[in-house]
Amino acid sequence: MDLEEIKINPDQKEMVDGQDGEAGEGKVFLPQSNNGGTSIKPNHKNRTSLQNCLSHNGKRSKLIAAFIVILLITVVIVISVVACCANNDDEDEKFDRTTFNLQQKFNGSFQMETPFSNETQGLNDVQRKLTELYESSHALGRFFSNAETFHLGSESAVVQYKLTFIFPEEELRNSTLSREIVYNVLRQFIYDQNEEESGAMFILPSSLKMHSMH
């Protein structure tokens, strides 16, 4: 079979070449994968950087939240303590001692473990101990007036004492200032005493006696 020769003039060739160029400019060449398909490689560096940034921001937010919680707890505790101290004023401490016109007296005795080497000094020490004991008592301190001590003789280890309390209301005589409470305060002190600390002032617990004076 004879093939007819197709002649293309220069104008037609330029037109064809132009179309081919435009088609070439519109093509996007994508990298080929191993299996012959087209693949797009993700930008791992940008993704890792974003994840690190989010992780850092998350840790920072947690630290700030924890700090705020601790700060709030501290503020609440401080406010609670201040409010508690302000509201717990002891009403008894507001008593005016000039209105304490009633008296309650007790007398009694106890025996020292050994006689005083110096009677005057020994009696003064015992009197000072009794005064400090009752003045520091939360229940009796505001009512305590004074303590006195007496000695039965230079050869005796027995000490006599007298306690005086003043108070404003008669009902306190049989409640706060009852013989049982005043006696128990002194007895507890004697049981708690330490022989090494008390030295010659060590009191025999079984020897304690106390009576109300009317």
Side-chain angles (χ1 to χ4, degrees), residues 46-57:
N46 291 340
R47 180 180 297 179
T48 303
S49 177
L50 179 60
Q51 290 176 348
N52 291 338
C53 183
L54 293 176
S55 177
H56 178 72
N57 290 338

Side-chain angles (χ1 to χ4, degrees), residues 69-82:
V69 170
I70 293 174
L71 181 62
L72 290 176
I73 292 175
T74 303
V75 171
V76 170
I77 292 175
V78 171
I79 293 175
S80 300
V81 171
V82 172

Side-chain angles (χ1 to χ4, degrees), residues 7 10-11 19 22-23 30 48 55 80 89 95 105-106 108 111 115 123 134 151 162 166-167 179 183 200 212:
K7 295 182 180 180
D11 295 334
Q19 291 176 352
E22 290 176 359
L30 299 177
T48 303
S55 177
S80 300
D89 292 336
F95 285 167
K105 295 184 178 183
F106 302 91
Q111 183 176 345
L123 289 176
Y134 283 105
H151 204 204
K162 181 164 62 175
I166 56 176
F167 55 99
R179 183 260 178 192
Y183 174 82
S212 298

Side-chain angles (χ1 to χ4, degrees), residues 113-175:
E113 186 177 41
T114 58
F116 296 125
S117 57
N118 184 319
E119 180 178 340
T120 302
Q121 182 63 43
L123 289 176
N124 288 338
D125 289 342
V126 172
Q127 182 173 326
R128 176 177 56 82
K129 286 286 187 181
L130 291 174
T131 300
E132 292 175 352
L133 170 65
Y134 283 105
E135 283 183 343
S136 62
S137 171
H138 180 73
L140 302 175
R142 56 187 172 275
F143 304 123
F144 179 73
S145 178
N146 70 291
E148 300 175 73
T149 55
F150 312 94
H151 204 204
L152 295 180
S154 58
E155 298 297 329
S156 175
V158 176
V159 175
Q160 290 184 324
Y161 64 89
K162 181 164 62 175
L163 306 172
T164 302
F165 297 86
I166 56 176
F167 55 99
E169 301 171 356
E170 184 63 33
E171 65 247 22
L172 292 172
R173 189 185 301 276
N174 296 321
S175 57

Side-chain angles (χ1 to χ4, degrees), residues 107 126 168 184:
N107 66 352
V126 172
N184 286 334

Side-chain angles (χ1 to χ4, degrees), residues 28-41:
V28 177
F29 293 93
L30 299 177
Q32 298 293 323
S33 62
N34 294 333
N35 55 9
T38 302
S39 64
I40 300 177
K41 295 182 179 179

